[in-house]
Amino acid sequence: MERFAVLLIAVFVGVCQGYGVHMKSKANATLPLVMWHGMGDSCCNPLSLGRIQKMVEEQVPGIYVLSLQIGDNIIEDTANGFLMNVNKQIDMACDKISKDPKLQGGYNSMGFSQGGQFLRAVAQRCPSPPMHNLLSVGGQHQGVFGFPKCPGANYTLCEMVRKLLNLGAYESFIQDFLVQAEYWHDPLNEEEYRAKSVFLADINQEKVMNPSYKTNLMKLNKFVMVMFSKDTEVQPKESEWFGFYKPGQDKVLNTLQESAIYKNDTLGLKEMDAQKKLVFLTAEGDHLQFTEDWFKQNLVPYLK
């Protein structure tokens, strides 16, 4: 009888493998998490992402967390958040993710500030291994038109960014390396933005239509967007919910649902919305300011 039971189990496992059925043990039921920090921060700052990682590990025991470091050390990682072409950063992130054996079964992702739109680019450009849930915490998916505050301790870098943006965000040499220029969205000159933006206009399907971007983004289970109600760093803060100024002026705003991206469904967001894959959350506070209780209540459930 025991031999028959063992044989039956062996046959069942063989059939499951043959049909691509993946059986997860209880210990391996939680997907890993990939995180990407924001401007002026680094992968492992104990006061920011290091603290977030610890919180996640406490709330989701046994979870594997990869906090992306772009560069050979924390200093390079921080500087590259200002001064490395975003497309090159996406390539580096995709390479790290594809080579990590612990991520091959899929993963959730959580990006903070500019890390939110960077991880969306990863979802659109690098579908393997698959991203399950994308949590964008203060990400600027329609870009920014203003730079009122610069986070982080490096005042010199912040001043350099301001001066270069004032010089000309769409100058080719600035677009080649200045991160913030690559998601600068000038509503007063949409034509120049679409023609010269090397990153944001591309991932938002405003330059050349790339069908795979839509296909890959729609594979997400949930796309969670967090907007900070009192954000004084991101202009406009509604970009965190994929909203932006109506073209030709910088006062009146369109929601995502009022935008051409949604109405024409060039990224699949309209269909995702109908499928209840889009989640819009509000955090009461300034940019990236939230309590541990809010984080545990609102974001941790998407990581389990």
Side-chain angles (χ1 to χ4, degrees), residues 9-56:
I9 291 170
V11 170
F12 174 71
V13 170
V15 170
C16 287
Q17 290 174 340
Y19 282 92
V21 178
H22 301 284
M23 295 180 296
K24 287 185 177 180
S25 69
K26 193 170 183 180
N28 294 326
T30 299
L31 284 172
L33 173 65
V34 173
M35 300 196 302
W36 201 331
H37 62 82
M39 174 178 65
D41 202 357
S42 70
C43 65
C44 315
N45 186 332
L47 299 178
S48 55
L49 250 65
R51 181 166 165 255
I52 294 293
Q53 179 171 341
K54 184 177 179 181
M55 197 188 318
V56 169

Side-chain angles (χ1 to χ4, degrees), residues 6-7 48 54 64 92 134 154 161 237 246 256 261 266:
V6 170
L7 179 62
S48 55
K54 184 177 179 181
Y64 170 68
M92 292 173 69
L134 168 57
N154 198 317
V161 169
K237 69 179 187 298
K246 292 184 177 181
L256 166 62
I261 286 177
T266 50

